[in-house]
């Protein structure tokens, strides 16, 4: 029987970004609205759509060899898994998600210890219980099915633990952040037994390398141009680069070809300066991967 790598694709907010990232890395994933088993153009990989909230436990059990989920949900389930790498999707957000302790603006609570004997509402029940237990603060933690911010406003609980990026929505609802409890980004996690298997480990590392290289290329472009050899130093001073730009002599000429990789947003400011220095034939091209 052929060995396959079972990969968990996160269903929900990370789903489309994950499929696009795999495409840039070299794999085409197809997802049907009527199936939880995406197709992939790699006979060594079998994909499954899994909610990020459950990814950690299925990876730990070995039902899935490797998957992508938020670090918060892996922590929530206390999953005994191997974290391979962070997966910060720029098209979702480059800001980490922050789980924060929140009260009403006029609450007397200034620190977690002030919630002794209080009731706290949250989706992240397991983590929140451990957070307060580790600090010796007795509280009651209730699971929230949603509209968590409204619960503390309506007096249904004394505080909430909620996820935010900037805190602006919390502030707009007349609430106040007491402290940050955890910072979370998407991570790729793997089953320990899978990592002990040489073939599966090799496949996981291959996927991780190419996905990270695709993430690294996001927002970056290549820039190539011809320029007089006498202007090389001036042009190199203008060009940002991952390392030093590539400079090659043009055949039978005192001109050179210069090539560099830089953030796309910087191109618009750099091109006029390059033209002033005599650069010609400037070409900008997209990048799929930077390895």
């Amino acid at each position: 029987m052929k060995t396959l790598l079972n990969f968990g694709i996160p269903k929900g907010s990370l789903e489309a970004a994950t499929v696009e990232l795999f495409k840039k890395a070299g794999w085409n994933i197809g997802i049907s609205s009527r199936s939880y088993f995406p197709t992939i153009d790699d006979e060594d990989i079998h994909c499954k759509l899994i909610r990020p909230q459950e990814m950690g436990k299925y990876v730990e059990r070995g039902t899935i060899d490797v998957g992508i989920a938020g670090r918060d949900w892996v922590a929530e389930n206390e999953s005994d898994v191997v974290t391979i790498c962070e997966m910060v999707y720029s098209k979702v957000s480059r800001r980490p998600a922050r789980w924060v302790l929140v009260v009403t603006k006029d609450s007397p609570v200034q620190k977690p210890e002030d919630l002794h004997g209080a009731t706290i509402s949250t989706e992240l029940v397991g983590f929140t219980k451990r957070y307060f237990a580790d600090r010796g603060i007795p509280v009651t933690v209730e699971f929230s099915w949603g509209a968590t911010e409204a619960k503390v406003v309506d007096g249904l609980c004394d505080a909430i633990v909620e996820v935010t990026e900037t805190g602006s929505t919390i502030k707009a609802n007349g609430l106040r952040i007491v402290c940050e409890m955890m910072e979370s980004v998407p991570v790729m996690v793997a089953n320990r037994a899978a990592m002990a298997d040489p073939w599966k480990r090799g496949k996981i590392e291959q996927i991780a390398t190419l996905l990270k290289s695709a993430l690294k290329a996001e927002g970056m472009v290549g820039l190539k141009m011809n320029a007089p050899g006498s202007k090389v130093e001036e042009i190199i001073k203008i060009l940002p680069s991952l390392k030093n730009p590539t400079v090659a002599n043009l055949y039978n000429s005192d001109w050179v070809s210069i090539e560099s990789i830089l953030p796309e947003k910087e191109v618009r400011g750099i091109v006029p300066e390059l033209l002033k220095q005599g650069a010609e034939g400037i070409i900008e091209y997209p990048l799929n991967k930077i390895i």
Side-chain angles (χ1 to χ4, degrees):
M1 184 176 178
K2 181 178 176 59
T3 301
L4 293 174
L5 184 75
N6 289 301
F7 200 106
I9 303 296
K11 183 173 177 60
S13 61
L14 293 177
E15 184 179 328
T18 299
V19 170
E20 184 177 346
L21 184 65
F22 264 86
K23 185 174 183 178
K24 288 184 177 179
W27 287 275
N28 290 306
I29 295 175
I31 296 180
S32 167
S33 60
R34 292 175 290 184
S35 174
Y36 281 88
F37 300 98
T39 60
I40 186 169
D41 58 347
D42 188 324
E43 61 182 14
D44 294 330
I45 301 174
H46 177 64
C47 291
K48 298 179 182 179
L49 271 179
I50 303 291
R51 288 284 180 188
Q53 294 90 332
E54 299 182 296
M55 191 73 74
K57 71 179 181 182
Y58 288 125
V59 172
E60 180 180 14
R61 291 175 188 173
T63 309
I64 299 170
D65 296 308
V66 60
I68 296 171
R71 183 179 282 128
D72 46 4
W73 294 114
V74 176
E76 168 70 359
N77 293 296
E78 294 187 278
S79 304
D80 183 21
V81 294
V82 180
T83 299
I84 306 300
C85 60
E86 292 186 353
M87 307 291 293
V88 183
Y89 296 68
S90 66
K91 292 199 173 179
V92 177
S93 175
R94 284 203 180 276
R95 289 193 183 106
R98 298 186 298 138
W99 285 90
V100 292
L101 181 62
V102 177
V103 295
T104 55
K105 190 181 294 183
D106 58 357
S107 169
V109 173
Q110 298 298 322
K111 55 186 184 299
E113 289 75 11
D114 295 337
L115 285 165
H116 188 284
T119 298
I120 300 171
S121 184
T122 184
E123 287 184 83
L124 212 65
V125 173
F127 171 81
T128 302
K129 285 182 176 179
R130 293 193 301 275
Y131 179 92
F132 282 93
D134 290 346
R135 290 158 179 78
I137 307 169
V139 295
T140 299
V141 181
E142 298 178 339
F143 178 75
S144 174
W145 289 97
T148 308
E149 292 168 341
K151 291 181 172 67
V152 69
V153 173
D154 291 341
L156 299 177
C157 59
D158 301 296
I160 62 173
V161 174
E162 183 65 310
V163 65
T164 185
E165 287 187 0
T166 65
S168 58
T169 302
I170 289 171
K171 186 176 180 179
N173 282 302
L175 303 175
R176 172 170 54 85
I177 295 175
V178 176
C179 66
E180 182 177 307
M181 298 170 65
M182 181 191 0
E183 191 173 87
S184 177
V185 296
V187 290
M188 182 186 293
V189 293
N191 174 267
R192 292 191 178 278
M195 290 301 288
D197 179 287
W199 182 86
K200 287 188 176 182
R201 183 187 184 100
K203 191 69 177 178
I204 290 168
E205 289 176 345
Q206 175 203 21
I207 294 170
T209 295
L210 293 175
L211 290 182
K212 286 191 294 182
S213 72
L215 284 170
K216 191 176 180 180
E218 287 187 344
M220 305 292 285
V221 295
L223 203 64
K224 189 172 184 178
M225 71 209 72
N226 294 333
S230 60
K231 293 291 186 175
V232 170
E233 294 301 323
E234 288 84 350
I235 288 175
I236 288 177
K237 288 176 184 177
I238 296 171
L239 285 173
S241 178
L242 290 180
K243 291 188 177 179
N244 294 326
T246 299
V247 179
N249 291 318
L250 296 182
Y251 177 71
N252 206 21
S253 171
D254 57 0
W255 279 54
V256 297
S257 172
I258 302 174
E259 192 165 5
S260 184
I261 295 173
L262 65 157
E264 183 178 15
K265 63 183 180 182
E266 295 186 16
V267 173
R268 61 178 179 259
I270 288 172
V271 167
E273 297 302 316
L274 295 173
L275 292 172
K276 288 178 184 178
Q277 295 299 329
E280 296 180 359
I282 301 173
I283 299 171
E284 177 186 337
Y285 54 91
L287 303 172
N288 282 335
K289 295 183 281 291
I290 298 176
I291 302 174

